[in-house]
Structures are given as structure tokens and as C-alpha cells.
Amino acid sequence: MTAPKYRELAEQLREQYAQAPVGTPTPSERQLADDTGVSRMTARRAIDELVRSGLLTRAVGRGTFVTQPAMSVPLRLTSFTEDMRARGHVPSSRVLGLEVVRADERVAGVFGTVVGARVTLLSRLRLADDVPMAIERSHLRTDAFPGIERHDFGVESLYRVLAEEYGVRFEAGEQVIRAGLVRDEDTTTLAVAPGSPVLELARTTVAHGSVVEWTVSTYPASRFELSAQIAPLT
Ligand code: GLP
């Protein structure tokens, strides 16, 4: 059995808009019907489907825009790879940089080292089903993870490498979330308009009594949703 026409059209549009910046206007039902040679009813149903999935949003009187679905991120010490797989998405990464830098005051403070200590900085674009979700800048103590630069983090999970190669077992973690505006250098990579709102998650993880990782993840605000289990008062 072949898929109904509106589904086919919805799939085509999904592909077309998956990488589009949030806020991109989309054609009206009538225009879409004319452009693709389907009925207005089919065009409407295709758009409805994408609105339901969160990829498009109808703004009354202004038309329909690309918004991208929000991804629910749990407050647990799980990795991006695990989080996305648990939600049925295919995670992937693009390495934007992997270099040894010198700790400035902030980084030295996080790791409890001296200013100027060597720190490995891994910058990655994280994607779910090929949609850019976040830029993650992970700082790791270079002395604690010798040879880590040999890994291909375009395909490997950082947490897996830390666990399997370096025997890291996290004991604790802290996550600070704050709102901000996207950095100019990140707009194209995240496929958002300049000045768009973002949420920054700064995570510090501790193993064997010392801080092993400080990662700042920048999520476009429209693609991020926080979920946490709330424990009852005891
Ligand atoms: C999450 C955390 C980051 C961590 C990353 C590891 O996104 N917020 O602090 O570095 O997972 O992800 P992966 O193991 O998939 O590379």
C-alpha cells in the first residue's frame, strides 16, 4: 500500500525544512497546492501533520513558520547519545574543533587547577535525525586523559570513551541552565537567525573526587525543553 498523498508531501516538506532556520516562512496552503499540483485539502493535511510534530507553527494572521520540534532533555547524568536514542532519534555529531588550550581563570576555577594549565577543548555540533540541536564545548583536563585527541568524536560518544578507555565512573554532577542569545559565530551551525534566544547548559561532572568535565551546551531555545522528576517532600 502506498502512503497517502498528504503524508508523502509532509515527508518532502519535513526534509526541506529540517535544516531551515527557525522563523523561516512557509508557503500558504493555496500556494503549496499550486506549486505541487495537489488539492488544497492535501496541502492542508500535510501542513497540519508538520504543525502537530512541532516542525511548523501557525501564527494567526501572519502565516506558518519553521519552529523545529523541542527536544525534552532530562536532568540526569546521561550522555547526548543516550538521551537521543532513548527518545527514538538518531544522534550524530560534527567535530568543530579539538585542541589543547590554556585554562583561563574561569576554567581553572572549575577544575581547581592553576591558570595556564593544559585543558583539552572539544567542540561539537550535536544533531538528532540530522537536525542541529546544540553546540557542545567540552573542557577536559589534558593530563587526566592522555591521547584522547586520537578519538573520532564525529562517531564516538565522549562518555563512552571516558568510561571505556579511562575507567571514569561519575559520582556527581551539576547542571546550571541559563538563557542567552546565540553567539554570532554559532548562527549558521545551529541554523538559527542572528540574535535568537538560546539556553546554555553548563555541566560539571565529578569522578574519583575531581572534576573531569565541564561542558557548555548551547541549545536554540525553540529546540530545548527541560524535564525533571520532582521528588515529594519527605
Ligand atoms: C550531554 C551532556 C554533556 C556531555 C555529553 C556527552 O550532552 N550535557 O555534558 O559532554 O552529553 O555526550 P556523548 O557521550 O554523546 O558524546
Side-chain angles (χ1 to χ4, degrees), residues 78-83 124 126 136 138 156-160 175 201 203 213 215 217 219:
T78 46
S79 71
F80 182 87
T81 306
E82 290 168 310
D83 286 346
R124 290 178 292 175
R126 314 302 307 262
E136 292 198 315
S138 302
E156 286 182 89
S157 146
L158 175 62
Y159 278 7
R160 261 206 124 156
Q175 191 140 296
L201 280 70
R203 181 186 289 189
E213 171 212 12
T215 293
S217 309
Y219 281 81

Side-chain angles (χ1 to χ4, degrees), residues 11 33 48 52 97 116 153 168 170 172 193 223 231:
E11 277 322 301
D48 282 349
R52 265 196 307 277
F153 290 105
V168 169
F170 293 130
R223 280 168 232 171

